[in-house]
Amino acid sequence: MDNNNNNQNKATGANSQNVQDLDNRLEALKKRAEEIGEEIKEINSEANKEMDEIESQVEKSADNLDKIYSDLDRAEKEAESELDKITLQQAEYLASENE
Amino acid sequence: MSGSAEKIPSGAGSEAKKEAPEKEAVPKSSEKNVNETINFLSPESHGFFNKMSEGGKAIVSKIYEGLHKIPQVSRIIGKLEIIPRQIVMDHYETKAAQKKDKMDGVDIEISYLEKSKTELENAVKKLKEQKIPDASLQIELRNIEKRKMKLLNSRDKIQTKFENFDNKMKVYANKRDQIADNLIGRFDEKLKPMEKDLGNLQTCKERLDLLSSAMELKHQKKMEEINNLEKQKGEIEELFKSIGKSDRAVKRNEAVKGLESIIAKRRGEMRKDKENLENRKTKLDKEIAKKNKKAGPYRDKREEFVRVKAIRPVKMEAPERGKEKVFEGKEEIKAYPRKEYSDSGEDENQAEEGGSEEKMETGTETETEDSPEQENKEEEKYGKWQTVSNYIDSWNLGIKNSEKKYPLLKEKMIDLKDFLRTSELPKDFQLNLEELLKLIKKYCKFRKIEFSDKDEKMMNKVLKDFEDNAKQISKSDENKEKAQAQT
């Protein structure tokens, strides 16, 4: 009877040890998962920083381009207006020649 | 037709206009056409257009008809290309070509006359050799000259008109070119920085792509690590079961639950981060693509402006005309003395009388007219004997004397000091009248003083009279000196 109790005690002791080990391992995994989380945050933060910089450059160039396109449109309009002016003058002159 | 076009209601006006343009010099414009035309004009031109004559509006409507088919964005190209073609080719070029054809026709006629003249001259020569009378042929020759003169006069007028149309065409082409040049210049000015900014965008895009790829790899690696953690968790769970723990007990294990939660959270976070970064990248990509797309038409337009400008008016060359030389000779007037038919003695006497008559005449002639040899000698002696200051002073004096009668002539006085300074000639520089006139013309052009052909003629006359007077005075002085020397 004592032997059985001893054996049972020994088995229970071994079990506890294993559970403890497994729990420890789980804790280690949890810790690593937390660390990964921090690393992901850092990756994300760096990526967003880079994105901010690129976005700022894109915005700057885009604004410049909008201004250039606007200037070119204005140049066209002014040229068109000049052309209309000389055309109307010529037309009136031609009309007077024909009369 | 033109009358009925006015009565037709505006809806059908354009049709009537299309039917009748060839027959009318000035097509009629309906209200509809005018309203449509005004849509093609820049707002600044509306006021001018509304004040134009009906004829002018009609011409504008016709010119701008071609713009219907051109989209709004390319309208400037249309105006640069079509309008000059309409105005230049339909009007000036056609008219210039018509005049050129007429001129060529007249040239052919003149060449036929020249040919006839040469043949006639040869015939006259032969008749002269054979001592056959040729007076009528001489008259015919003169008639040919008269006809040639008429043709040349007519040709002159036609060529003047041709040159006028040719110049008008070129003036318009130059105006259009100037506008095109300004536009091309402004485009070139702006396209350079545009390409630079587009280059920057391209660089940003490439950097974005690189960042995105790097992020992808990093996330992938982290995901692998998380998957590894999950795998290890699964192994531990199995181990728990192997030591007698039930599924339920394993699932309720705080450490297991905690780890599961963290793993799920990490996965969620990564997915969200990835999504956010992707969205940002997509947005930037779109913006870059949009700006790139907008650049294309501006690049194309610049090339189109250059190509349109390369369309030139047709070159029509007319020969350069020179000034006709003025015939400066005079018809010699003769008394036509007649010899009396008698014996030799009387003949001799008559010869003497005739001779004396001739001498008198000669004497008379020398008073009124020098022989060509004497004239050449005079030219040598007096050709450049007048100085710049003498000429200009006499011109100014002439104007001053006529001031009361012709007050406006005062503007034609020449400032001698300024003339000498700008021409860098000394005041006693000797020259002839032709040389002086050339200098005066150039001086007036330099000083922006109007000096027309009429002014030149007047100056020539005044200074010639001055020269002649001076020669006369000089000659009489010489004669006096000679007479004194003889006595």
Side-chain angles (χ1 to χ4, degrees), chain B residues 151-172:
Chain B
L151 283 171
L152 282 172
N153 287 345
S154 147
R155 194 195 180 286
D156 256 351
K157 285 185 181 133
I158 298 168
Q159 184 159 348
T160 299
K161 282 186 182 169
F162 162 78
E163 284 165 359
N164 191 28
F165 287 126
D166 195 47
N167 277 338
K168 277 181 185 165
M169 186 171 75
K170 284 168 184 169
V171 161
Y172 185 81

Side-chain angles (χ1 to χ4, degrees), chain B residues 80-131:
Chain B
L80 275 172
E81 186 189 0
I82 289 173
I83 291 167
R85 198 153 37 90
Q86 287 273 46
I87 289 180
V88 171
M89 281 168 63
D90 286 1
H91 187 79
Y92 291 132
E93 240 175 22
T94 308
K95 291 216 173 210
Q98 283 169 358
K99 296 300 170 199
K100 181 76 172 48
D101 287 344
K102 266 189 179 171
M103 270 161 51
D104 292 342
V106 168
D107 284 340
I108 291 169
E109 278 189 67
I110 291 172
S111 71
Y112 287 148
L113 279 178
E114 285 289 334
K115 199 177 165 194
S116 304
K117 185 184 162 189
T118 310
E119 284 168 8
L120 214 51
E121 277 170 348
N122 289 339
V124 163
K125 196 178 169 188
K126 280 183 185 161
L127 287 175
K128 264 196 166 55
E129 282 166 9
Q130 292 165 26
K131 298 202 193 305

Side-chain angles (χ1 to χ4, degrees), chain A residues 15 18-19 22-23 25-27 29-30 32-34 36-41 43-44 46-48 50-55 57-58 60-62 64-66 68-95 97-99, chain B residues 25-26 41-42 44-45 48 52-53 55-56 59-60 64 76 79-80 83 91-92 168 172 175 179 183 186-187 190 193-194 197-198 200-201 204 207-208 211 215 218 222 225-226 229 232-233 236 239-240 243 245 253 255-256 259 262 266 270 273 277 280-281 284 287 291 294-295 298 301:
Chain A
N15 238 358
N18 285 342
V19 166
L22 290 174
D23 279 339
R25 277 171 74 176
L26 280 171
E27 280 304 315
L29 289 179
K30 224 169 117 177
R32 182 66 196 125
E34 295 286 357
I36 289 172
E38 289 303 313
E39 284 164 14
I40 289 171
K41 268 187 193 164
I43 289 169
N44 196 46
E46 277 175 13
N48 276 312
E50 286 275 311
M51 283 290 225
D52 288 343
E53 209 182 295
I54 294 172
E55 213 172 67
Q57 290 208 359
V58 166
K60 191 178 167 191
S61 289
N64 285 348
L65 285 168
D66 283 339
I68 288 170
Y69 297 149
S70 168
D71 284 346
L72 290 174
D73 288 340
R74 191 170 50 244
E76 258 191 68
K77 277 200 165 65
E78 284 170 8
E80 213 180 309
S81 177
E82 277 292 310
L83 268 177
D84 284 340
K85 194 172 148 189
I86 63 168
T87 303
L88 295 185
Q89 285 169 351
Q90 281 293 321
E92 193 67 357
Y93 177 73
L94 290 174
E97 266 193 350
N98 288 335
E99 274 166 18
Chain B
V26 177
L41 293 172
S42 52
E44 298 82 6
S45 301
F48 186 94
M52 281 173 73
S53 62
I59 289 175
V60 173
Y64 281 77
I76 176 72
K79 288 185 179 182
L80 275 172
I83 291 167
H91 187 79
Y92 291 132
K168 277 181 185 165
Y172 185 81
K175 277 184 186 169
I179 293 170
L183 193 53
R186 283 174 82 173
F187 262 66
K190 295 292 173 184
M194 182 186 90
D197 281 312
L198 287 170
N200 285 346
L201 286 181
C204 288
R207 194 172 157 197
L208 207 53
L211 179 69
M215 282 300 301
K218 283 177 188 173
K222 291 301 153 195
E225 283 181 40
I226 288 173
L229 286 179
Q232 285 180 51
K233 183 191 81 126
I236 292 168
L239 281 168
F240 267 123
I243 58 172
K245 297 275 179 183
N253 182 304
V256 167
L259 184 57
I262 290 170
R266 291 293 96 89
M270 270 208 321
D273 287 344
L277 286 169
R280 285 185 84 178
K281 182 177 179 292
L284 284 171
E287 183 69 19
K291 297 300 172 202
K294 210 169 170 184
Y298 289 103
K301 269 187 187 172

Side-chain angles (χ1 to χ4, degrees), chain B residues 170-393:
Chain B
K170 284 168 184 169
V171 161
Y172 185 81
N174 286 344
K175 277 184 186 169
R176 187 220 49 182
D177 285 350
Q178 198 179 14
I179 293 170
D181 280 338
N182 284 343
L183 193 53
I184 291 167
R186 283 174 82 173
F187 262 66
D188 283 341
E189 206 182 287
K190 295 292 173 184
L191 286 176
K192 211 171 168 183
M194 182 186 90
E195 296 299 340
K196 194 181 168 193
D197 281 312
L198 287 170
N200 285 346
L201 286 181
Q202 185 60 26
T203 307
C204 288
K205 186 176 185 324
E206 283 156 7
R207 194 172 157 197
L208 207 53
D209 288 341
L210 181 64
L211 179 69
S212 177
S213 298
M215 282 300 301
E216 185 77 35
L217 285 170
K218 283 177 188 173
H219 276 146
Q220 220 173 329
K221 196 173 176 190
K222 291 301 153 195
M223 196 55 92
E224 279 169 13
E225 283 181 40
I226 288 173
N227 292 342
N228 196 24
L229 286 179
E230 198 173 35
K231 192 179 168 191
Q232 285 180 51
K233 183 191 81 126
E235 283 170 5
I236 292 168
E237 282 171 355
E238 286 304 316
L239 281 168
F240 267 123
K241 285 174 194 169
S242 71
I243 58 172
K245 297 275 179 183
S246 65
D247 257 347
R248 199 171 156 200
V250 168
K251 292 245 184 291
R252 276 161 63 179
N253 182 304
E254 288 300 322
V256 167
K257 273 191 344 191
L259 184 57
E260 263 179 14
S261 166
I262 290 170
I263 286 170
K265 199 175 167 188
R266 291 293 96 89
R267 282 202 176 113
E269 281 166 1
M270 270 208 321
R271 193 175 52 248
K272 208 173 162 186
D273 287 344
K274 202 173 164 188
E275 220 174 87
N276 283 342
L277 286 169
E278 277 296 319
N279 286 343
R280 285 185 84 178
K281 182 177 179 292
T282 304
K283 195 177 163 192
L284 284 171
D285 274 342
K286 265 188 184 172
E287 183 69 19
I288 291 169
K290 195 173 145 189
K291 297 300 172 202
N292 260 318
K293 193 179 170 188
K294 210 169 170 184
Y298 289 103
R299 289 187 191 114
D300 293 342
K301 269 187 187 172
R302 189 257 175 210
E303 300 313 312
E304 280 183 276
F305 296 148
V306 171
R307 275 183 225 120
V308 150
K309 199 197 154 193
I311 301 168
R312 311 306 308 161
V314 171
K315 269 194 178 6
M316 283 179 264
E317 298 291 338
E320 201 180 317
R321 292 183 280 178
K323 271 190 185 173
E324 292 283 347
K325 213 174 174 184
V326 176
F327 176 73
E328 286 175 353
K330 282 182 185 173
E331 295 303 322
E332 203 180 313
I333 298 163
K334 291 181 187 171
Y336 293 106
R338 292 181 203 187
K339 278 185 191 174
E340 292 290 337
Y341 291 102
S342 60
D343 59 17
S344 56
E346 286 178 331
D347 278 344
E348 277 171 20
N349 289 336
Q350 287 300 326
E352 274 178 14
E353 283 173 14
S356 64
E357 271 177 47
E358 280 173 9
K359 271 180 195 168
M360 272 173 65
E361 278 166 31
T362 309
T364 316
E365 276 172 2
T366 45
E367 275 173 43
T368 54
E369 217 175 76
D370 296 321
S371 65
E373 284 168 1
Q374 272 176 297
E375 271 187 16
N376 283 340
K377 276 186 188 166
E378 274 189 17
E379 189 61 37
E380 275 176 33
K381 192 176 174 185
Y382 299 117
K384 292 192 182 185
W385 71 310
Q386 286 298 351
T387 63
V388 172
S389 53
N390 281 352
Y391 274 125
I392 291 178
D393 283 342

